């Protein structure tokens, strides 16, 4: 039998409830204090690989003054799917990425290299703001927290 009114929605919390305060504590939760005047801006979201790949695909297509339809036909992928790739809505397989790259006159390595360059630019801009520090490990760039 239900304990809520028949015409009212029941609220189910998405986050687990916090445990009650420990015995002997004053019950207050401590929130870290921010220095006076410090901006309360959230940290920028790190870009996803699919967003960067999509940006590179779109930039290359537009630089060649080609339409989505033209590139989709040359790559033999659907126009809506290519559009979703460019907008970072879909995670493409390596076969699809290679086909899209070939349709733009690029190799898969070229597409991935251009995408890596975008990620490196983003990382450098974060380093400049003191968020991360780059370290070189095994011949590649790693970002240490």
């Amino acid at each position: 039998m239900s304990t809520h009114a028949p015409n009212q929605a029941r609220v189910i919390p998405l986050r687990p409830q916090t445990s009650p305060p420990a015995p002997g504590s004053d019950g207050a939760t401590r929130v870290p204090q921010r220095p006076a005047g410090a901006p309360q801006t959230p940290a920028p979201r790190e870009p996803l690989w699919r967003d960067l790949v999509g940006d590179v695909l779109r930039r290359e297509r537009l630089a060649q003054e080609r339409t989505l339809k033209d590139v989709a036909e040359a790559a033999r992928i659907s126009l809506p799917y290519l559009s979703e790739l460019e907008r970072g809505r879909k995670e493409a397989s390596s076969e699809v990425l290679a086909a899209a790259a070939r349709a733009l006159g690029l190799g898969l390595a070229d597409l991935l290299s251009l995408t890596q360059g975008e990620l490196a630019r983003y990382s450098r801009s974060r380093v400049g703001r003191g968020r991360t520090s780059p370290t070189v490990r095994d011949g590649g760039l790693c970002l240490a927290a």
Side-chain angles (χ1 to χ4, degrees):
M1 175 172 254
S2 176
T3 59
H4 68 277
N7 291 330
Q8 292 183 340
R10 190 170 48 161
V11 176
I12 301 172
L14 297 177
R15 295 187 178 139
Q17 298 294 324
T18 58
S19 59
S25 72
D26 62 358
T29 55
R30 296 182 187 236
V31 177
Q33 294 298 316
R34 216 177 226 129
Q40 189 174 358
T41 56
R45 182 179 72 94
E46 189 167 14
L48 298 175
W49 183 254
R50 68 177 185 237
D51 292 328
L52 296 171
V53 169
D55 290 344
V56 169
L57 287 172
R58 175 170 281 154
R59 187 177 62 241
E60 290 298 314
R61 178 178 60 80
L62 293 175
Q64 296 176 19
E65 297 180 354
R66 294 175 66 188
T67 64
L68 270 171
K69 182 179 180 190
D70 175 43
V71 175
E73 287 175 355
R76 301 188 69 200
I77 58 179
S78 75
L79 188 145
Y81 189 68
L82 179 59
S83 175
E84 288 185 325
L85 289 178
E86 284 190 356
R87 290 181 289 137
R89 301 281 173 98
K90 294 290 183 183
E91 196 82 50
S93 69
S94 57
E95 292 88 355
V96 170
L97 289 177
R102 275 193 310 274
L104 292 167
L106 303 169
L108 181 58
D110 299 323
L111 175 63
L112 298 180
S113 178
L114 290 167
T115 304
Q116 187 275 335
E118 291 295 312
L119 183 58
R121 263 190 291 288
Y122 171 81
S123 297
R124 281 192 301 274
S125 72
R126 284 180 54 112
V127 169
R129 289 182 276 151
R131 299 248 183 228
T132 60
S133 59
T135 58
V136 177
R137 190 176 296 151
D138 297 326
L141 178 69
C142 292
L143 293 177

